Amino acid sequence: MPAGARMPRWLPRAMVLGLALYACFQLGSWAFHQLIGLLVNILVAFFLALAIEPAVGRMAARGMRRGLATFLVFFAVMVVGVGFVVLLGSMLAGQIVDMVENFPKYLDSLINWINQTFRTELSRVEVQDSVLRSDWLRKYVQNSATGVLDVSATVLGGLFKLLTIFLFSFYFAADGPRLRRALCSVLPPARQTEVLRAWEIAVDKTGGYIYSRGLMALISGVAHFVLLEVLGVPYAPALAVWVGLVSQFIPTIGTYLAGALPMLIAFTENPWYALWVLVFVVVYQQFENYVLQPKLTSKTVDIHPAVAFGSVVAGTALLGAVGALIAIPAIATLQAFLGAYVKRYDVTDDPRVHGHRRYGEAVVARLQKALHHKKEQGRTPPGKDGA
């Protein structure tokens, strides 16, 4: 700056404004990271409210108050959830008790097999003493004792998150019309129409997705229950409920996770039963993918399987398990909403649309290529006549 030149008057103000904007950005970033858990819970609650909106709307249309209708729907969901947990818990408790009671028998058979195969002279008492006196068992017990508090805190945190989601979803569903009016009151009429249309599409797609999945879960549970009952596998009702819910509501890996538990329980009865369960799970999955699912979801969530898989992967990368659960209805809603603004035309009857070239064009192309090759051979290069 030359001597005697003065600083521009706007520069201090610009510097203060820049620092203020940077401080606001940092404060907003810090607040967002602190509230990310709450925002995810609100997002899950919103999609849950959209899922139960059709049932609440039908009950409210018949004269029932929306608050009471929402409470009844949530009560039914809670009863089903508690019943599932009780059935699964009783099954696992029974299996654990049986395994503990039969553990000496399993250990004796394993020791006999080792003695016969490797010609050793092990005994159950020696094995038990060596295990009980081992350092790794002592360290495991100490770590488990110190981790009890962490497990308790995790369980309490999960229950608090679940309660938060249910409270928000209850308010979203019970006060849905009031929430829509409040949102539309700050928008011009043209925007209000678009928002209400998007809301209606979201309700249809999310509710349709949940109900179609519930119906497929019921069909899958009944089919697997019949198989497990015929084979005589214990805890067939609980296993059927497990297969139906896990295979339908956990994307991508749900089928394999659902089939693993019945196979394990069947293996304890007879190894051949586990093979039969595996074959049935694979065959039923193909029937569901190519016959049942297209018919049930053609009018609710009609998206390409590759798009559905990609949306699940993207949702998992962004929000983990929550993103995987809400990815498909979110993509279906976005696809249906954007589809209304894309002008479509009738497709021509050209065979190339279906991946085939016209036969006549292919013949003409070959003839032209042959004539061109023959013409090139018929030409005599200059200076080659007397060679």
Side-chain angles (χ1 to χ4, degrees):
M1 181 180 296
R6 299 181 61 184
M7 180 183 298
R9 295 181 178 180
W10 55 267
L11 185 57
R13 296 181 181 179
M15 295 177 61
V16 172
L17 180 60
L19 292 175
L21 291 176
Y22 179 75
C24 291
F25 173 77
Q26 292 293 333
L27 181 61
S29 177
W30 173 81
F32 177 78
H33 285 88
Q34 294 295 322
L35 298 176
I36 186 66
L38 178 60
L39 296 177
V40 171
N41 292 338
I42 292 176
L43 181 62
V44 174
F46 179 72
F47 272 93
L48 182 59
L50 293 179
I52 67 173
E53 175 64 26
V56 174
R58 290 191 185 96
M59 298 171 70
R62 296 180 179 180
M64 185 179 297
R65 296 180 57 184
R66 288 189 64 90
L68 179 59
T70 306
F71 172 78
L72 292 178
V73 172
F74 271 107
F75 183 75
V77 172
M78 185 180 65
V79 169
V80 173
V82 171
F84 171 70
V85 172
V86 170
L87 285 175
L88 188 63
S90 62
M91 179 195 67
L92 293 178
Q95 287 299 116
I96 292 174
V97 170
D98 293 340
M99 291 178 62
V100 171
E101 291 179 350
N102 295 326
F103 181 76
K105 186 189 302 183
Y106 297 149
L107 186 59
D108 288 338
S109 62
L110 178 62
I111 291 174
N112 292 333
W113 179 81
I114 294 175
N115 290 334
Q116 294 176 3
T117 304
F118 301 100
R119 300 187 181 279
T120 57
E121 296 182 356
L122 298 176
S123 64
R124 191 209 305 174
V125 177
E126 294 177 355
V127 174
Q128 290 178 348
D129 291 340
S130 61
V131 170
L132 293 176
R133 294 177 182 177
S134 60
D135 294 334
W136 68 268
L137 181 61
R138 187 181 303 108
K139 294 180 180 178
Y140 177 77
V141 172
Q142 293 175 354
N143 294 332
S144 300
T146 56
V148 171
L149 186 59
D150 296 336
V151 172
S152 302
T154 303
V155 172
L156 291 177
L159 291 176
F160 180 75
K161 289 182 179 180
L162 189 62
L163 179 61
T164 303
I165 291 173
F166 271 95
L167 284 177
F168 275 108
S169 58
F170 181 86
Y171 290 134
F172 286 153
D175 292 339
R178 184 185 303 175
L179 181 61
R180 287 191 288 270
R181 288 195 299 269
L183 182 61
C184 291
S185 64
V186 297
L187 297 173
R191 297 296 181 185
Q192 293 180 16
T193 303
E194 299 300 328
V195 168
L196 292 176
R197 187 173 180 277
W199 192 295
E200 195 67 25
I201 291 175
V203 169
D204 292 339
K205 293 300 179 180
T206 306
Y209 172 75
I210 296 297
Y211 296 142
S212 61
R213 286 291 174 176
L215 183 57
M216 286 193 293
L218 178 62
I219 298 174
S220 176
V222 171
H224 287 84
F225 171 75
V226 172
L227 171 71
L228 297 174
E229 194 69 23
V230 169
L231 294 178
V233 178
Y235 309 104
L239 289 174
V241 174
W242 165 266
V243 173
L245 293 179
V246 174
S247 64
Q248 300 303 323
F249 290 99
I250 296 183
T252 308
I253 63 171
T255 300
Y256 311 103
L257 184 62
L261 185 59
M263 287 177 55
L264 179 62
I265 303 300
F267 185 83
T268 59
E269 293 294 317
N270 191 330
W272 287 104
Y273 289 173
L275 180 60
W276 279 109
V277 172
L278 175 62
V279 172
F280 183 82
V281 168
V282 173
V283 172
Y284 181 82
Q285 186 64 29
Q286 303 307 313
F287 166 75
E288 181 182 279
N289 289 339
Y290 294 102
V291 178
L292 186 61
Q293 183 173 349
K295 291 184 177 180
L296 291 180
T297 61
S298 60
K299 296 182 180 180
T300 55
V301 188
D302 188 14
I303 60 177
H304 194 273
V307 177
F309 178 75
S311 64
V312 170
V313 173
T316 304
L318 291 175
L319 298 176
V322 174
L325 290 175
I326 66 176
I328 294 180
I331 292 298
T333 301
L334 182 62
Q335 175 180 296
F337 183 72
L338 295 179
Y341 299 94
V342 177
K343 187 176 181 179
R344 298 182 181 274
Y345 301 91
D346 294 334
V347 180
T348 180
D349 294 332
D350 194 322
R352 288 172 293 184
V353 174
H354 306 287
H356 305 289
R357 294 188 62 190
R358 290 179 179 176
Y359 180 75
E361 292 180 353
V363 173
V364 171
R366 286 198 294 268
L367 288 175
Q368 290 178 349
K369 184 177 181 180
L371 290 174
H372 181 73
H373 184 67
K374 186 175 181 180
K375 186 183 295 184
E376 290 292 334
Q377 288 181 346
R379 292 179 180 176
T380 303
K384 300 293 183 177
D385 295 340

